[in-house]
Amino acid sequence: MAHLDSPDNGKKKKAIFLGYDGCRVDALKYVNKTERESYINAQKKYSADEKKTYLAGKSALSYLLGKENTGLYFAYAGGEKGGKTQQATSTAPGWATMLTGKWALEEGGHGVKDNGIMKNDVKTFLTKAAEGVNGKKYSASFTASWEAHFTENYANDMKYAENNSLDIDYLLTGDDKGTFDDVRERISGENDTDVVFFTLEGTDHAGHSKKFGIHHHEYVAGFMEEDNYAYEILKAIESRPTYADEDWCIVIATDHGGCNYSHGGQTVMERTTFIATNKIEYLVK
């Protein structure tokens, strides 16, 4: 919102939020190309074809952070531990907090203190952008493969957008490939969207099935896959024929970490998150 509300510099404002669901901070080790390639080559549990695929992959985080005015910051999920704003380190409250800028139980909060709860009428940045900022209305989208976003958490937001003829698409996909294809179309195709929010599930799915953390090769693979999808999206943005006339705000973040096969508690590895962005002026005071 700070980006959309900032002074007009003669370029069209655009924004994209790339969410890595359940991505622990220790996975960031493999943003580094040398670390990633060394791990892949030494990993005995990857097949030859898997190694070839992972070695050919790129890192969105590495690519973004190699540019000027970018930064990577540690953050936290779960609210004030032991305090009035404590909330579960779970998917629904994590993304709701980033979409609204509020904890669930603080004044003006979104109310989603755990999974299975519908968000209240506190507006997300997607709704605010579609309603208009400084007289300018933006098209927006929410793409994910986690069904509860659309059947529970943001069902009222979807109705509000429909009733008020807001230009917001809410799309449930079948998997990360489906999410990637939709977002790429919004970046590269005719369905051009101004403010894009989407989540990739590679790390979360691997964590729940094979355990969270980089001691598990399936989890590292999940991270590399989603980071490569995100890289392709960043490259698609830069390939836009109108890119020189646009001012993009890019954010990559996670909603929570995890321990063993789950998350939701208040341990360090469940609470610790990260935010990467090309607009550090909105984070550094």
Side-chain angles (χ1 to χ4, degrees), residues 25-42:
V25 292
D26 54 351
L28 298 180
K29 176 178 182 178
Y30 298 111
V31 168
N32 180 278
K33 182 180 180 181
T34 301
E35 292 280 5
R36 184 169 65 253
E37 292 180 348
S38 177
Y39 178 85
I40 295 168
N41 286 323

Side-chain angles (χ1 to χ4, degrees), residues 11-166:
K11 295 186 176 184
K12 185 175 182 179
K13 301 286 186 181
K14 306 280 276 188
I16 187 166
F17 192 116
L18 304 87
Y20 293 6
D21 200 289
C23 185
R24 277 179 35 152
V25 292
D26 54 351
L28 298 180
K29 176 178 182 178
Y30 298 111
V31 168
N32 180 278
K33 182 180 180 181
T34 301
E35 292 280 5
R36 184 169 65 253
E37 292 180 348
S38 177
Y39 178 85
I40 295 168
N41 286 323
Q43 181 55 249
K44 297 180 180 180
K45 294 183 179 180
Y46 293 150
S47 68
D49 286 343
E50 286 174 330
K51 286 186 177 183
K52 184 177 180 180
T53 297
Y54 299 147
L55 287 170
K58 306 291 185 180
S59 167
L61 283 162
S62 177
Y63 186 71
L64 177 65
L65 296 171
K67 298 181 177 295
E68 295 182 359
N69 198 45
T70 60
L72 174 67
Y73 303 88
F74 287 122
Y76 64 94
E80 179 189 356
K81 186 176 181 179
K84 64 179 182 179
T85 64
Q86 180 174 309
Q87 61 189 45
T89 54
S90 299
T91 297
W95 293 128
T97 288
M98 281 180 280
L99 281 160
T100 64
K102 296 284 188 178
W103 298 117
L105 302 178
E106 71 174 295
E107 183 178 355
H110 53 75
V112 186
K113 64 180 181 179
D114 204 346
N115 288 345
I117 299 174
M118 188 175 294
K119 189 183 71 61
N120 59 26
D121 59 2
V122 172
K123 295 177 181 178
T124 67
F125 65 77
L126 300 175
T127 298
K128 291 179 179 179
E131 287 188 319
V133 184
N134 292 329
K136 166 66 176 178
K137 292 185 177 181
Y138 297 89
S139 58
S141 63
F142 186 133
T143 307
S145 59
W146 196 55
E147 187 175 7
H149 284 314
F150 309 99
T151 59
E152 296 175 352
N153 311 135
Y154 300 96
N156 283 340
D157 292 57
M158 295 166 68
K159 291 179 182 178
Y160 180 84
E162 181 179 4
N163 291 340
N164 291 277
S165 300
L166 300 181

Side-chain angles (χ1 to χ4, degrees), residues 166-182:
L166 300 181
D167 190 1
I168 311 177
D169 288 336
Y170 291 89
L171 182 66
L172 171 66
T173 63
D175 53 23
D176 279 356
K177 178 61 165 58
T179 298
F180 168 75
D181 288 343
D182 176 72

Side-chain angles (χ1 to χ4, degrees), residues 10 15 82-83 137 160 224 227 272:
K137 292 185 177 181
Y160 180 84
M224 291 189 294
D227 203 25
T272 308

